[in-house]
Amino acid sequence: MKEREMALPSDQKALLEARFHKDQGRVREEELDEVLQRVEGHLRSLAKVPGERGRLLVLRLRLMADLLRAWRGGKAELPWRAVTALGATLGYLCDPLDVIPDFLPVVGYLDDLFMVELCLASAGEHLREYALARGEAPETYGL
């Protein structure tokens, strides 16, 4: 199956959207440090996701984690909604009990890609601004 032909069924998208909003409402500032520690290990496993989508997934997640770290360190300002979107997304991606198990070849990361897209809808502008503040082109991240 070609990369551009892969898509999540609408029922799984609805399930992921519901989980994203539920998780977003449960993010606690004190839990963000744990999520940020776990995300580094997960990024290494995501490096094997094939194609351009895989490359962008890793780049975007690293940018998300960096922005959240900057916010935690007082070096970036974010509205709470963006903080919770970033935290919920990174937390989901580090959760071994996600909707589609990551060990399934190729399709195992479709839910991760979709969750990142949901996060971009909430925090994409902040990620673009952060990339620019670091002297990077937002296009590098597909933003």
Side-chain angles (χ1 to χ4, degrees):
M1 182 180 290
K2 292 184 181 177
E3 184 177 325
R4 65 183 162 274
E5 294 174 356
M6 296 183 298
L8 284 172
S10 59
D11 61 328
Q12 286 184 332
K13 285 183 180 181
L15 177 67
L16 286 168
E17 285 184 62
R19 180 165 174 179
F20 176 79
H21 294 297
K22 179 181 175 188
D23 287 354
Q24 200 175 6
R26 295 177 17 199
V27 169
R28 301 290 173 258
E29 187 173 343
E30 57 274 3
E31 296 168 347
L32 294 176
D33 291 329
E34 180 186 336
V35 168
L36 287 169
Q37 287 176 346
R38 291 185 2 221
V39 79
E40 287 307 315
H42 195 65
L43 283 171
R44 285 190 289 279
S45 71
L46 288 173
K48 48 189 166 176
V49 177
E52 181 65 10
R53 280 186 177 178
R55 186 186 73 76
L56 277 178
L57 176 63
V58 171
L59 287 174
R60 287 173 171 174
L61 291 175
R62 188 163 308 283
L63 185 66
M64 288 177 187
D66 289 350
L67 177 53
L68 202 52
R69 274 191 201 91
W71 177 81
R72 286 289 287 152
K75 296 178 180 158
E77 290 187 26
L78 288 172
W80 185 244
R81 180 167 170 76
V83 170
T84 60
L86 293 166
T89 301
L90 294 173
Y92 175 84
L93 295 172
C94 294
D95 187 350
L97 301 175
D98 58 6
V99 173
I100 302 174
D102 292 343
F103 65 82
L104 295 174
V106 184
V107 298
Y109 294 102
L110 287 177
D111 59 328
D112 297 352
L113 291 165
F114 186 73
M115 290 298 276
V116 169
E117 292 303 317
L118 288 174
C119 182
L120 290 176
S122 295
E125 187 58 36
H126 301 288
L127 289 162
R128 277 187 281 283
E129 290 171 8
Y130 183 65
L132 287 170
R134 293 187 345 171
E136 299 172 338
E139 296 80 13
T140 303
Y141 301 95
L143 302 173

